[in-house]
Amino acid sequence: MKSPIFKYLSALFLLAIIAYACTREESREEKVDSLIMELKTDIRSDSLESYVRWMQDMGTRFCLADDRRDVAVAVMNKFVSLGVENVRLDSFILNRSYGGIEYELYEYNVIASIRGSKYPEELFILGGHYDSVVRSTAGDPFEAAPGANDNASGVAAALEVARVFSTNDYIPEYTIEFIAFGAEELGLWGSRAYAAKAKQANKEIVLMLNNDMIAHQDGSDRSGWTVNVMDYENSDRFGSYARMMAEKYTDLSPYRDNTYHQHSDSYAFTEQGYPALFFFIGSPDPYYHTPDDIADNCNFEYCKEVTAISLAILIDKTY
């Protein structure tokens, strides 16, 4: 028979366990997981579609066209309208021959940033190029280059993550820069200019995330949706991690095919020694570089899923 003292101590011990269970702080992993699940539900396919239609309706975003600065300013003002306070244009010179004409022009990257609360000098970048082009056999890029999937969709992802972070008052420990790059289509000019300046200034870029062509997907059957997560020699561990995050937080089946990983802005960063990843559609886009690359031929539920990968990574790495 147990003594009254033993029963009393047992009761106290049980109460202590219950009290601990009720007051235990969530671990960092639990907090991050909860925040990702909460904020990813705020990514809206209709918002992504509205950004893409807004950009395609500019007519052309060809980097040699006369409206190139107007396009950059419009993208800059869009970030501001979404609540990002620190936004600027960063100019660079393009020297390029096109159609038998030599061009020497100012071009512009758009940089919007949320300053880190603890490690402001260490950067995470979410980017995509805003310029567009059509093949000469398909049309005149000076006149019409809607570029919905390529690559208004990538800029839309950056705009939407910026909006979600801003409206939910997310303050990262590390600085996050959202960058819309100019003149990608003629040779990664904007990203190469930015990455070279960053290297010269000894900027510490922890990871660059690049979204390029993330809105074309046939069908509504999510079981067949895939995404190509490309990496580089200095970022293969991040690639494995990103594919794990895609499996955990999206309906997508990620895979790795680095065949074309030199063909977008992420490559400019790895050239300078910075780790980068490149998110790309999992199936061919028949409208690539044609006047038919329009929002009507995009799948914004799919685009929403790809965008969620970048959001999840940024929260996980900067919380």
Side-chain angles (χ1 to χ4, degrees):
M1 182 176 180
K2 296 177 181 177
S3 69
I5 293 178
F6 180 85
K7 291 181 178 179
Y8 176 73
L9 292 175
S10 296
L12 284 179
F13 181 71
L14 180 60
L15 288 172
I17 292 175
I18 294 172
Y20 172 77
C22 292
T23 60
R24 182 186 70 85
E25 269 195 45
E26 283 185 302
S27 67
R28 180 194 179 278
E29 291 74 18
E30 290 170 326
K31 289 179 180 178
V32 166
D33 181 67
S34 177
L35 187 59
I36 291 172
M37 294 300 293
E38 177 187 353
L39 294 194
K40 88 181 190 75
T41 62
D42 198 23
I43 300 173
R44 293 165 41 187
S45 58
D46 61 343
S47 291
L48 292 164
E49 181 175 359
S50 72
Y51 306 143
V52 170
R53 289 191 180 278
W54 164 70
M55 293 186 74
Q56 89 172 19
D57 288 347
M58 293 178 184
T60 184
R61 303 187 307 281
F62 186 45
C63 64
L64 301 182
D66 290 339
D67 68 344
R68 62 191 178 280
R69 191 177 189 282
D70 294 335
V71 170
V73 170
V75 174
M76 179 181 69
N77 289 337
K78 179 65 76 172
F79 275 111
V80 173
S81 74
L82 296 175
V84 185
E85 296 180 357
N86 187 7
V87 190
R88 62 187 175 89
L89 295 186
D90 185 31
S91 63
F92 58 93
I93 295 288
L94 178 149
N95 290 284
R96 180 70 153 78
S97 174
Y98 185 85
I101 300 174
E102 295 294 328
Y103 291 88
E104 183 173 359
L105 304 170
Y106 274 107
E107 303 284 348
Y108 308 92
N109 293 327
V110 182
I111 304 173
S113 63
I114 301 175
R115 184 174 174 82
S117 62
K118 192 172 182 180
Y119 308 105
E121 302 307 315
E122 298 182 41
L123 306 180
F124 284 81
I125 293 172
L126 177 57
H129 70 91
Y130 67 84
D131 63 309
S132 60
V133 73
V134 297
R135 298 189 297 271
S136 59
T137 55
D140 182 355
F142 288 93
E143 297 296 328
N149 185 38
D150 185 19
N151 183 41
S153 66
V155 176
L159 288 167
E160 183 66 353
V161 174
R163 181 193 68 79
V164 170
F165 283 176
S166 177
T167 57
N168 288 279
D169 298 319
Y170 177 64
I171 305 298
E173 289 193 346
Y174 299 80
T175 293
I176 298 174
E177 287 190 344
F178 305 92
I179 306 180
F181 296 105
E184 185 268 359
E185 295 289 5
L186 294 187
L188 316 184
W189 285 85
S191 52
R192 281 184 163 137
Y194 177 95
K197 288 178 184 178
K199 191 69 173 181
Q200 186 175 19
N202 294 315
K203 284 190 175 183
E204 186 170 353
I205 298 173
V206 182
L207 181 62
M208 187 271 179
L209 304 175
N210 175 43
N211 286 285
D212 194 349
M213 298 179 64
I214 59 166
H216 179 76
Q217 175 63 55
D218 293 329
S220 58
D221 182 5
R222 292 172 181 250
S223 66
W225 288 2
T226 61
V227 62
N228 187 5
V229 181
M230 298 184 227
D231 52 35
Y232 302 88
E233 287 185 7
N234 65 347
S235 63
D236 57 345
R237 66 184 178 91
F238 283 116
S240 299
Y241 157 78
R243 287 183 283 276
M244 179 273 292
M245 294 293 278
E247 289 177 344
K248 183 175 181 179
Y249 291 108
T250 78
D251 294 332
L252 305 172
S253 296
Y255 68 96
R256 177 180 183 261
D257 179 356
N258 282 344
T259 303
Y260 299 108
H261 71 171
Q262 297 183 13
H263 292 220
S264 192
D265 292 307
S266 43
Y267 185 64
F269 286 80
T270 197
E271 283 183 311
Q272 297 293 343
Y274 295 122
L277 298 175
F278 175 9
F279 302 102
F280 186 70
I281 52 174
S283 58
D285 181 357
Y287 309 108
Y288 173 66
H289 284 182
T290 74
D292 292 321
D293 181 8
I294 58 177
D296 288 349
N297 291 320
C298 292
N299 184 328
F300 292 102
E301 286 298 321
Y302 174 82
C303 186
K304 175 182 174 180
E305 292 297 304
V306 182
T307 300
I309 306 173
S310 293
L311 177 137
I313 290 171
L314 288 176
I315 293 175
D316 187 48
K317 292 296 185 183
T318 70
Y319 180 82

